[in-house]
Structure formats: structure tokens, C-alpha cells
Amino acid sequence: MGLTYNNILVAVDGSEEAERALKKGVEMSKRNDAELHLVHVLEIRSYPADAASIKERAEQYGIELLDKYKKIANDLGLQKVNTVLEFGSPKVTITKNIANKIEADLIICGATGLNAVERLFIGSVSENITRSAHCDVLIVRTQKDSE
């Protein structure tokens, strides 16, 4: 394994932490001349089976979120940026499916993210990524995390 990264995956969810992870991902991608893959996973179990409109709105939100992050990365001077929108459990989908598919050699995510209640009961997505990833993982903290 080399000392540079080729495919950097940044997990984003709309939180302040995700934005910091994005900026770190852009910085690392430039430094390594790597491809940046912005990933947003929509939790499917949280939609009732008949709630197609809720699912469509969530999908639209995911597309807009990824477009916004891609524009930020482009504005910061990075051109090799891909977006990935998937349905599933972020904890499983990011490390088991997406990271393998894009051959990620670094996963970057925020320390916490949006869903505090879920974190209390089943642990955070970032904790799970750290435990189950087959590549390096960088957890980005905010000022609030370190206080």
C-alpha cells in the first residue's frame, strides 16, 4: 500500500461536521491528486412502505445536498468529484458497498452528524465506519467536539 490516496470517500449528511469533512476531503484530494467521492445514504427503514412522496422528497434533498457539496469542491479548485446517492443504512452501505465499489483508500466523515437519538441507542455512523472499514478512516471534529 502506497503513501498516497487515489479514491477518497467523504460521507455527508447536511450537518456542520459533514461540511468540515468535505473541506478536509477537498484538501486531501488536492494533496494526493485523488478522486473525491461524495456519498449520501438515505435511510430506507425510516419510510413507511406507502410513503412514495416522502421517499421522493428525501431523494430530492439528497441530490440537492450532493450538488451543493460538489459545487463547493469545484469552487475550491477540485475537478475530480463524483457523487453517490444510495438508499440503505449508512452504517452498512458506506463501508460494505460504496467503499468497495469505488475502491476507496480513505473514508472521511464527521465525528457526529445529525441524528443524536439514534447515536444514543445504536452508536454513531462514524464509530461504525471506523470499526468496519477496510481502508484508512479520518474522523473530522468540530470546535464543539473539542470543547
Side-chain angles (χ1 to χ4, degrees):
M1 184 183 266
L3 296 175
T4 59
Y5 297 111
N6 297 308
N7 289 292
I8 298 175
L9 184 161
V10 178
V12 294
D13 64 1
S15 65
E16 185 186 329
E17 288 84 355
E19 196 131 338
R20 288 178 64 95
L22 166 72
K23 289 178 178 157
K24 184 69 78 172
V26 168
E27 196 181 294
M28 299 282 290
S29 294
K30 284 176 162 177
R31 209 178 300 152
N32 290 273
D33 192 30
E35 202 149 327
L36 184 68
H37 304 269
L38 303 175
V39 174
H40 181 65
V41 179
L42 295 164
E43 192 79 58
I44 37 177
R45 64 182 170 76
S46 55
Y47 305 113
D50 59 343
S53 67
I54 296 172
K55 188 175 176 184
E56 282 169 22
R57 279 201 302 271
E59 191 169 4
Q60 190 55 45
Y61 168 78
I63 291 166
E64 288 168 10
L65 185 71
L66 287 169
D67 286 347
K68 175 184 124 182
Y69 286 144
K70 184 174 183 171
K71 184 182 180 331
I72 292 170
N74 291 157
D75 290 348
L76 291 170
L78 190 66
Q79 297 313 310
K80 293 194 285 189
V81 184
N82 298 310
T83 59
V84 180
L85 180 67
E86 296 244 349
F87 286 91
S89 161
K91 294 177 180 185
V92 177
T93 306
I94 291 168
T95 54
K96 301 273 187 280
N97 305 356
I98 302 169
N100 292 335
K101 197 183 302 176
I102 64 167
E103 299 177 7
D105 41 23
L106 176 64
I107 298 173
I108 301 176
C109 59
T112 53
L114 293 175
N115 198 335
V117 174
E118 186 176 64
R119 216 168 40 248
L120 281 173
F121 292 108
I122 49 183
S124 74
V125 172
S126 56
E127 280 176 71
N128 199 74
I129 288 172
T130 305
R131 281 195 305 270
S132 62
H134 296 292
C135 62
D136 292 351
V137 177
L138 174 63
I139 306 294
V140 179
R141 300 201 171 278
T142 61
Q143 291 306 116
K144 284 181 277 191
D145 292 328
S146 57
E147 286 169 2

